[in-house]
Amino acid sequence: MRTYSLWAVLATALLGDLPSTTGQLIGGPSSVAFNTIPHNYIVKFNGDPGDPSGSVSFFAQMAALGIPYTITANYSVLLNGVSLEVDDQYNDAMASLPGVQIVWPLGISSLDATTISATSSPYFPTQSPKPMLAHNYTGVNNVQNVLNVTGRNVKIGVLDSGIDYNHPAFGSCFKTSGCRLQYGYDFVGDFFSGKNAVPDSDPFDPCQYHGTHVTGILAGNDGDFKGVAPDATIGVYRVMGCYNIVTESIVVKALEQAYLDGMNIVTMSIGFPGAWGASASGDASATLAQLGVFVVSAAGNRGKDGMWSIDGPSVRNSVVSVGSAEMAFHYSQYFNVTSDELVGIRRTMSQNYLPALNLNQVQIVRGLAAGSTTDDYGCNALPTVTGKVVLVQNGGCTMYTKGLNVQNAGGILMVVYQSDSSDPSTVAYDRPLYLPAVAIYRADAVYLINKINVAVIVTVSAGADSVIFDSFTPRAPSAFSSWGPGPESDVKPELLGPGSNIYAPFPVQFGSYGIVSGTSMSTPYVAGVSALAIEYGKSNAGNGTLAAIVNTARPQIDAASLTYFPVIQQGAGIINGFGATTSQIIFNVTSINGTFPDSDWRDFDMFFSYNNTVD
Ligand SMILES: *[C@@H]1O[C@H](CO)[C@@H](O)[C@H](O)[C@H]1NC(C)=O
Ligand SMILES: *[C@@H]1O[C@H](CO)[C@@H](O)[C@H](O)[C@H]1NC(C)=O
Ligand SMILES: *[C@@H]1O[C@H](CO)[C@@H](O)[C@H](O)[C@H]1NC(C)=O
Ligand SMILES: *[C@@H]1O[C@H](CO)[C@@H](O)[C@H](O)[C@H]1NC(C)=O
Ligand SMILES: *[C@@H]1O[C@H](CO)[C@@H](O)[C@H](O)[C@H]1NC(C)=O
Ligand SMILES: *[C@@H]1O[C@H](CO)[C@@H](O)[C@H](O)[C@H]1NC(C)=O
Ligand SMILES: *[C@@H]1O[C@H](CO)[C@@H](O)[C@H](O)[C@H]1NC(C)=O
Ligand SMILES: *[C@@H]1O[C@H](CO)[C@@H](O)[C@H](O)[C@H]1NC(C)=O
């Protein structure tokens, strides 16, 4: 069934992951507000987790003052505290009670991932497994194939939207003997919107792709597709339902369970914009890290907001904040353009509630306003273009207005091109419309327009498959990747992983594989490398794994200016899996304080990468 009930979620998008194949939301950066749920708090008591003295005196005082409340969660593993529903007027009173250390308003966040609401497969032809293109540059291929290190006996917890565990990349199993998915829990249920959690023991994701994609990057294993740590043992902690909403309270609960399950590594492709390190999820993450677990979390996709745009809990100093970089190549869906020659140009996926595109040599025309040779924004009624593909420029009005004009003129597909050189992303209408729409780069639109201007007929063909394209900005930080430093001036992000146009498992019902961009994708990549390093003997004691990963990362130079990208954008650089796994040279991460040494880091780079195939 095609439903639109979840579209409102897009409008309140806060964080996390892009609904796109390539980069930024066309509508611009999303909201930066740190959202909280009214009348809901997390109270942290004095004393270590499990110490009852603070809570006993707190609740005695609450009773004495006659403040009514409901406990919605108890924490005793990583946080000495509770979640409470209590009227906002008592906030100050609570904070001043004996035994209380901190009172946090309950943070809520939403991935701006597109919600998939189809439940059957005809829309999504099955895609085949393809190799991860990043593994050569990161050296992960050599770690897996030369060192034979694949994450065996390392346990990794994934906090996300759950998983399609029927996918062959995870062995089509859950918790059975020999299955790599040995742990898991659903903390939210399908319809969780902030307070209505319906937990159960089954983390299956019936509606979203996010958790399946993230876990696939981390540890998928399916023919040509190999995740970073394809033999690791996985715990799946479902903290978002079908609305992609998550709260600090749910994250703390899931972190506690991951600790109890003995995870060595925890990865979170989720975040809370505007959070400080001392948030509830930051606090619980820090305790988890002190207990020896390697904690990795997404930097966020708010690069366009500039400095200080890192999300919580990755802003916390002992949590590794992972930004995103482009690789030299990426997979993309594409058009074959036929004029006096045949070329392929990349495009985004069409809306995931519509059938995959299937076009065979359909004419493409410009969506020019009547009487104009230049106004191609599609913001006004268009001359008739029955049965044709229509090219319009981004900007000037909403996608819905453009789409409606194209549809009314008889167009069968809208192709939106960027008005600058930035990455296109999937087209989202703010109101229901069935016209398929995709986005392309400006450079490719210039090519199309030149051909349309000289050729008699220019046609496009399209299917659901993907092919490899060169990146425009190889190894640059992805434009969407959030910038540091952290709010307390920590060096954030710590480093970058491959996160632009990542081809990885999707739920079987959505075609088995798909391409998504975001720090959601780079984060499990880094978590996977830490599993390889741990299998090879790195210890997390004394920050050993962190130092190995950060010390060996490869700082990147901006090809345009020939200077290093700022540390607050790229951290220590792009993850080097071979270096992190094998390096014996460790110096403390805290000594990287915002300036790189004057020496030429390319020598350093070559030292660690001699065994890599440099792409
Ligand atoms: C929290 O702990 C209290 C005291 O043990 C108990 O009464 C309450 O039911 C618990 N609430 C939840 C939501 O676990
Ligand atoms: C990765 O390296 C291997 C071995 O050198 C090579 O066969 C393969 O084509 C490379 N893959 C990519 C995507 O560059
Ligand atoms: C890799 O290691 C595994 C586990 O120790 C072993 O079973 C396998 O034979 C090794 N593969 C190669 C190619 O050495
Ligand atoms: C594009 O053209 C290539 C080369 O002819 C062909 O292999 C491929 O199937 C075409 N793709 C589409 C979507 O038409
Ligand atoms: C690990 O690094 C964090 C900062 O990222 C620091 O606060 C902590 O003290 C370090 N722990 C050890 C044991 O060095
Ligand atoms: C690095 O961290 C370790 C573990 O905390 C500590 O023992 C050592 O003194 C630190 N080294 C430097 C140079 O700060
Ligand atoms: C930061 O790094 C610079 C350059 O390496 C060094 O001179 C300075 O002492 C460092 N500051 C701190 C607080 O570590
Ligand atoms: C580097 O790679 C080669 C094969 O390409 C391998 O023989 C050699 O052992 C590797 N070096 C290390 C240190 O693993």
Side-chain angles (χ1 to χ4, degrees):
M1 211 176 75
R2 300 170 181 182
T3 60
Y4 297 95
S5 56
L6 306 181
W7 284 33
V9 173
L10 288 172
T12 59
L14 292 177
L15 162 280
D17 161 55
L18 299 163
S20 75
T21 63
T22 48
Q24 233 26 52
L25 271 174
I26 282 180
S30 48
S31 160
V32 200
F34 181 62
N35 279 9
T36 58
I37 304 182
H39 312 305
N40 279 263
Y41 296 89
I42 296 179
V43 180
K44 181 183 181 184
F45 304 119
N46 292 333
D48 290 335
D51 176 347
S53 55
S55 69
V56 167
S57 86
F58 172 80
F59 287 118
Q61 289 296 312
M62 291 286 276
L65 293 169
I67 300 178
Y69 63 86
T70 310
I71 299 178
T72 56
N74 294 307
Y75 312 109
S76 58
V77 179
L78 300 176
L79 192 71
N80 190 22
V82 291
S83 282
L84 290 179
E85 181 148 17
V86 56
D87 196 279
D88 286 341
Q89 64 175 305
Y90 301 117
N91 180 1
D92 289 345
M94 281 196 307
S96 60
L97 292 180
V100 173
Q101 208 177 93
I102 306 174
V103 176
W104 290 290
L106 180 58
I108 182 170
S109 182
S110 158
L111 294 184
D112 50 9
T114 310
T115 300
I116 296 176
S117 44
T119 51
S120 60
S121 59
Y123 285 177
F124 303 101
T126 302
Q127 305 299 301
S128 57
K130 301 178 196 284
M132 285 201 87
L133 298 178
H135 285 349
N136 275 3
Y137 182 68
T138 60
V140 164
N141 268 351
N142 279 348
V143 178
Q144 291 180 353
N145 301 326
V146 179
L147 304 179
N148 191 15
V149 168
T150 50
R152 289 179 197 90
N153 302 318
V154 181
K155 292 197 220 172
I156 313 173
V158 184
L159 273 60
D160 215 291
S161 69
I163 192 169
D164 175 6
Y165 47 65
N166 296 322
H167 198 294
F170 311 113
S172 309
C173 58
F174 180 60
K175 284 193 177 175
T176 50
S177 172
C179 187
R180 289 188 302 115
L181 301 183
Q182 273 303 328
Y183 303 86
Y185 196 78
D186 179 355
F187 290 91
V188 286
D190 293 349
F191 302 107
F192 181 68
S193 60
K195 298 201 303 185
N196 53 344
V198 185
D200 66 37
S201 59
D202 182 357
F204 186 79
D205 179 349
C207 48
Q208 292 290 349
Y209 65 79
H210 195 268
T212 301
H213 200 259
V214 161
T215 313
I217 293 166
L218 177 75
N221 190 357
D222 181 18
D224 282 348
F225 180 89
K226 294 265 183 300
V228 181
D231 287 318
T233 300
I234 303 299
V236 179
Y237 303 96
R238 188 176 189 226
V239 298
M240 292 178 280
C242 297
Y243 304 112
N244 269 343
I245 284 172
V246 62
T247 66
E248 295 258 354
S249 169
I250 294 291
V251 169
V252 174
K253 264 292 177 216
L255 289 172
E256 292 200 331
Q257 189 61 46
Y259 177 72
L260 294 174
D261 289 344
M263 295 296 133
N264 306 107
I265 298 164
V266 167
T267 182
M268 292 181 273
S269 288
I270 52 180
F272 298 90
W276 290 63
S279 65
S281 62
D283 207 88
S285 298
T287 306
L288 187 61
Q290 276 153 22
L291 291 167
V293 178
F294 191 69
V295 185
V296 187
S297 191
N301 299 330
R302 297 186 296 113
K304 290 240 162 119
D305 292 350
M307 286 175 66
W308 320 99
S309 55
I310 305 277
D311 292 335
S314 86
V315 294
R316 183 68 183 221
N317 59 8
S318 41
V319 176
V320 181
S321 177
V322 183
S324 168
E326 309 226 357
M327 291 288 107
F329 321 107
H330 64 88
Y331 294 106
S332 180
Q333 293 186 321
Y334 65 100
F335 287 120
N336 276 349
V337 178
T338 311
S339 56
D340 52 351
E341 60 181 353
L342 170 66
V343 302
I345 64 169
R346 68 200 93 191
R347 65 170 177 84
T348 62
M349 295 191 286
S350 54
Q351 301 95 312
N352 50 24
Y353 57 90
L354 294 176
L357 288 188
N358 184 6
L359 302 178
N360 188 10
Q361 302 221 345
V362 178
Q363 187 180 1
I364 182 167
V365 296
R366 298 182 69 189
L368 289 168
S372 172
T373 54
T374 52
D375 174 5
D376 63 354
Y377 287 99
C379 294
N380 299 303
L382 297 173
T384 302
V385 286
T386 307
K388 292 177 181 159
V389 174
V390 180
L391 178 66
V392 298
Q393 185 168 182
N394 191 20
C397 55
T398 64
M399 289 293 166
Y400 175 79
T401 302
K402 293 172 195 286
L404 194 61
N405 287 329
V406 168
Q407 181 170 288
N408 288 343
I412 59 162
L413 167 68
M414 178 166 74
V415 178
V416 182
Y417 73 92
Q418 294 292 67
S419 45
D420 58 26
S421 64
S422 62
D423 291 344
S425 80
T426 44
V427 176
Y429 300 125
D430 58 3
R431 270 168 284 175
L433 192 66
Y434 287 107
L435 182 76
V438 301
I440 64 173
Y441 280 95
R442 180 176 183 82
D444 292 329
V446 168
Y447 171 85
L448 278 172
I449 290 168
N450 286 338
K451 286 296 177 190
I452 290 170
N453 287 345
V454 298
V456 180
I457 281 184
V458 179
T459 67
V460 291
S461 302
D465 58 324
S466 311
V467 294
I468 297 174
F469 286 89
D470 289 340
S471 297
F472 288 112
T473 48
R475 297 182 209 119
S478 307
F480 58 77
S481 185
S482 286
W483 286 58
E488 287 124 290
S489 288
D490 306 275
V491 176
K492 296 283 176 181
E494 267 82 356
L495 79 171
L496 308 177
S500 282
N501 300 293
I502 303 299
Y503 186 92
F506 260 32
V508 171
Q509 63 171 336
F510 302 135
S512 295
Y513 282 86
I515 302 170
V516 191
S517 296
T519 54
S520 285
M521 284 68 239
S522 53
T523 300
Y525 201 100
V526 167
V529 167
S530 65
L532 303 178
I534 288 171
E535 183 192 338
Y536 203 65
K538 292 281 180 308
S539 161
N540 204 32
N543 287 337
T545 306
L546 174 62
I549 280 177
V550 173
N551 291 175
T552 58
R554 299 204 260 171
Q556 300 297 319
I557 292 176
D558 183 343
S561 66
L562 297 182
T563 57
Y564 287 103
F565 290 104
V567 171
I568 56 170
Q569 187 184 21
Q570 70 164 333
I574 296 179
I575 183 105
N576 174 352
F578 194 87
T581 304
T582 59
S583 148
Q584 300 300 316
I585 298 177
I586 298 301
F587 60 91
N588 285 7
V589 168
T590 45
S591 65
I592 295 180
N593 67 3
T595 48
F596 281 112
D598 289 336
S599 59
D600 188 344
W601 279 67
R602 278 166 297 186
D603 299 341
F604 195 58
D605 176 354
M606 285 167 62
F607 174 73
F608 283 113
S609 59
Y610 74 99
N611 244 37
N612 295 342
T613 307
V614 175
D615 58 13

